[in-house]
């Protein structure tokens, strides 16, 4: 059987199993095993084990559980609640002010927690009832939570970019710097949209009541007391990475230790909290690593069969225009985002796309930011839309899944705008790494 037919059968098998509800990690892993046995016999299964062991042996991979531990300590110790309480009192008489504060808090949480599911759930529990109480438009409030909560992948430290860096074999520190400006740009788009809509239609986002605005300055400043140390920990981690004081892995380990110390200073570091943090970290890492094992095994077997070279030739043959090939790649990212998680998309596409992309003269650091922005769209788009389902689990009674899905479209439009700008203006993401690292 030729490699073209095999490629079609792999796609059909994957789509069938995904529609049947089989997790993508087991889908890709099962197909990898079947392909290996059919092509190389039972002894070929050692190839899967060897490839998995090689990937797991990467020292930089240790940063993932360390950053997850740091995020779990931040989340469980109440940082999100204190951040929101510290900032929302400054919204004042600004229409849409609570929405803007929520986006700002989401950006800060992205730098301190970075776990998208946890961030959206926290904002759904803390900020969404507050906005609904103030009679915010339901869809606007929902969109602020899901879009703002998804910003965690655009604000370093980003787990997506760690895995992209390992796959593309590029500097993770460069990726963290490259995503900073596009991430803040996307957040500013959300802020402008919220303020613009509430300025045109004040009823969409009423200001705080006079009683809630009338808080002495000393009390407002006192609310920051509980969040100063966690924010300093996150800032210290990023500074140590950017300026080369420590490697990604070392910085992640220091961040996890610093987050535990911060929880102790806050007086919440108990054995119960430690157990909850460890369980959450193991569940998160277990889910991610199983996805990695399955997709990595499938790509390894497919490569040995000549599949990646075949797919690269097909991709290169689409057009002589590099822009069209790039557009097809981004279209594939967005299309796959309707059905599978980012880790599956990353490992299934990058071994095929990256060699073609580099041959066309594109920068792999910049392409990592393009991929990251594409995954922002995938977080919100139905039917998969993980951000929507995260919020549904934490939303107050009366907020339906239909409400959540229908609230995403304006924010998806803003994400597409940001993606287009980064594609047309690569220096927007590359100037900062060049400035710092030369």
């Amino acid at each position: 059987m030729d490699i073209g037919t095999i490629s079609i059968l792999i796609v059909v098998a994957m789509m069938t199993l995904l529609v049947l509800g089989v997790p993508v990690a087991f889908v890709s892993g099962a197909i990898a095993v079947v392909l290996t046995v059919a092509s190389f016999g039972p002894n070929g299964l050692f190839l899967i084990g060897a490839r998995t062991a090689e990937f797991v042996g990467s020292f930089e991979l240790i940063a993932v559980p360390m950053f997850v531990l740091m995020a779990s300590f931040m989340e469980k110790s109440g940082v999100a609640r204190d951040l929101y309480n510290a900032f929302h009192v400054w919204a004042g008489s600004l229409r849409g002010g609570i929405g803007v504060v929520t986006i700002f808090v989401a950006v800060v949480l992205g730098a301190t927690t970075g776990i998208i599911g946890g961030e959206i759930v926290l904002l759904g529990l803390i900020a969404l009832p507050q906005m609904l109480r103030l009679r915010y438009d339901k869809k606007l409030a929902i969109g602020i939570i899901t879009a703002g909560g998804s910003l965690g992948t655009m604000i370093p430290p980003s787990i997506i970019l760690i895995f992209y860096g390992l796959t593309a074999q590029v500097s993770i520190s460069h990726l963290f710097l490259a995503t900073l400006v596009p991430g803040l740009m996307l957040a500013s788009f959300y802020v402008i949209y919220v303020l613009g809509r509430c300025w045109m239609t004040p009823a969409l986002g009423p200001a705080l009541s006079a009683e809630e605005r009338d808080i002495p300055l000393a009390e407002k400043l006192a609310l920051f007391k509980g969040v100063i140390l966690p924010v300093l920990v996150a800032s210290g981690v990023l500074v140590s990475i950017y300026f080369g004081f420590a490697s990604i892995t070392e910085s992640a380990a220091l961040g996890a230790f610093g987050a535990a110390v911060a929880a102790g200073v806050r007086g919440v570091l108990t054995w119960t909290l430690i157990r909850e943090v460890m369980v959450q970290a193991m569940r998160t890492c277990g889910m991610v690593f199983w996805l990695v094992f399955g997709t990595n095994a499938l790509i390894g077997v497919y490569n040995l069969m000549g599949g990646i070279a075949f797919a690269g030739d097909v991709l290169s043959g689409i057009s002589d225009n590099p822009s069209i090939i790039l557009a097809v790649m981004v279209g594939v990212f967005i299309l796959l985002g309707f059905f599978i998680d980012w880790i599956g998309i990353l490992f299934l596409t990058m071994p095929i796309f990256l060699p073609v992309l580099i041959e066309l003269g594109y920068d792999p650091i910049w392409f990592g930011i393009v991929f990251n922005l594409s995954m922002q769209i995938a977080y919100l788009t139905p039917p998969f839309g993980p951000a929507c389902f995260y919020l549904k689990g934490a939303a107050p009674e009366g907020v339906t899944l239909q409400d959540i899905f229908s609230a995403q479209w304006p924010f998806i439009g803003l994400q597409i705008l940001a993606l287009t700008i980064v594609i047309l203006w690569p220096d927007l993401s590359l100037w900062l790494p060049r400035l710092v690292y030369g």
Side-chain angles (χ1 to χ4, degrees):
M1 191 179 297
D2 66 276
I3 190 63
T5 303
I6 292 173
S7 300
I8 294 172
L9 289 176
I10 289 174
V11 172
V12 171
M14 287 192 71
M15 297 308 298
T16 301
L17 292 172
L18 288 171
V19 168
L20 292 174
V22 181
V24 66
F26 302 137
V27 168
S28 51
I31 294 174
V33 169
V34 171
L35 277 178
T36 301
V37 173
S39 302
F40 307 106
N43 290 335
L45 293 175
F46 288 106
L47 297 172
I48 294 178
R51 183 176 174 88
T52 301
E54 180 183 0
F55 187 84
V56 172
S58 171
F59 179 69
E60 290 84 359
L61 193 62
I62 301 173
V64 175
M66 290 297 101
F67 276 130
V68 172
L69 269 177
M70 171 182 159
S72 297
F73 272 116
M74 294 290 194
E75 177 188 340
K76 297 293 184 182
S77 61
V79 171
R81 181 189 63 252
D82 288 352
L83 269 173
Y84 188 79
N85 290 338
F87 283 109
H88 93 279
V89 295
W90 297 86
S93 59
L94 183 66
R95 294 167 183 167
I98 292 296
V100 171
V101 166
T102 301
I103 294 169
F104 181 79
V105 170
V107 171
V108 178
L109 286 176
T112 54
T113 64
I115 298 179
I116 298 303
E119 191 172 335
I120 291 173
V121 168
L122 285 170
L123 291 174
L125 292 172
I126 297 167
L128 184 57
Q130 176 82 330
M131 286 190 279
L132 295 179
R133 179 185 66 80
L134 292 171
R135 299 188 302 279
Y136 267 61
D137 177 75
K138 184 192 292 186
K139 290 184 179 179
L140 179 63
I142 289 169
I144 289 170
I145 299 294
T146 51
S150 299
L151 284 169
T153 60
M154 292 297 299
I155 307 298
S158 167
I159 300 299
I160 286 183
L161 291 180
I162 293 176
F163 278 105
Y164 175 85
L166 292 172
T167 305
Q169 296 184 334
V170 296
S171 168
I172 297 171
S173 301
H174 284 62
L175 287 167
F176 280 2
L177 277 177
T179 195
L180 197 56
V181 174
L184 294 177
M185 178 186 71
L186 183 57
S188 68
F189 285 174
Y190 295 159
V191 169
I192 293 168
Y193 170 74
V194 171
L195 291 178
R197 286 208 64 190
C198 294
W199 177 75
M200 291 185 292
T201 312
L204 293 179
L208 285 173
S209 65
E211 294 79 10
E212 290 174 296
R213 297 200 303 266
D214 189 21
I215 298 176
L217 179 61
E219 291 186 20
K220 289 183 179 181
L221 294 175
L223 292 172
F224 285 104
K225 183 176 64 175
V227 298
I228 291 176
L229 184 56
V231 171
L232 285 177
V233 168
S235 302
V237 168
L238 297 180
V239 167
S240 68
I241 292 171
Y242 294 153
F243 292 97
F245 299 146
S247 69
I248 291 287
T249 304
E250 292 165 344
S251 298
L254 288 172
F257 177 75
V261 171
V265 172
R266 290 164 62 86
V268 295
L269 188 63
T270 63
W271 285 113
T272 300
L273 176 71
I274 293 173
R275 190 180 75 84
E276 290 177 356
V277 164
M278 297 300 293
V279 168
Q280 182 184 51
M282 286 189 290
R283 283 177 176 170
T284 302
C285 292
M287 176 190 70
V288 170
F289 287 147
W290 271 111
L291 284 165
V292 170
F293 297 156
T295 51
N296 199 32
L298 177 57
I299 286 298
V301 175
Y302 190 60
N303 187 28
L304 288 174
M305 298 174 67
I308 290 181
F310 164 77
D313 290 341
V314 170
L315 193 62
S316 300
I318 291 174
S319 173
D320 294 329
N321 188 335
S323 298
I324 293 177
I325 296 176
L326 176 64
V328 170
M329 291 179 181
V330 173
V332 170
F333 291 153
I334 294 174
L335 179 64
L336 289 176
F338 283 90
F339 307 105
I340 61 177
D341 200 74
W342 65 266
I343 194 77
I345 299 173
L346 174 68
F347 280 92
L348 290 172
T349 60
M350 287 306 165
I352 298 170
F353 287 0
L354 278 171
V356 176
L357 181 95
I358 293 170
E359 186 178 341
L360 293 174
Y362 289 112
D363 191 309
I365 296 287
W366 164 79
F367 192 61
I369 311 309
V370 170
F371 174 76
N372 208 355
L373 278 167
S374 301
M375 294 304 97
Q376 287 288 300
I377 298 171
Y379 274 120
L380 303 189
T381 47
F384 186 64
C388 301
F389 290 99
Y390 290 141
L391 180 59
K392 183 64 179 78
E397 188 176 349
V399 176
T400 66
L401 195 57
Q402 181 61 37
D403 292 331
I404 296 173
F405 278 138
S406 62
Q408 307 308 314
W409 301 113
F411 294 90
I412 291 173
L414 294 172
Q415 291 170 339
I416 293 172
L417 174 62
L419 175 60
T420 303
I421 291 173
V422 169
I423 290 175
L424 296 178
W425 189 16
D427 280 344
L428 183 70
S429 55
L430 294 177
W431 73 271
L432 193 54
R434 288 171 182 164
L435 177 67
V436 174
Y437 298 112

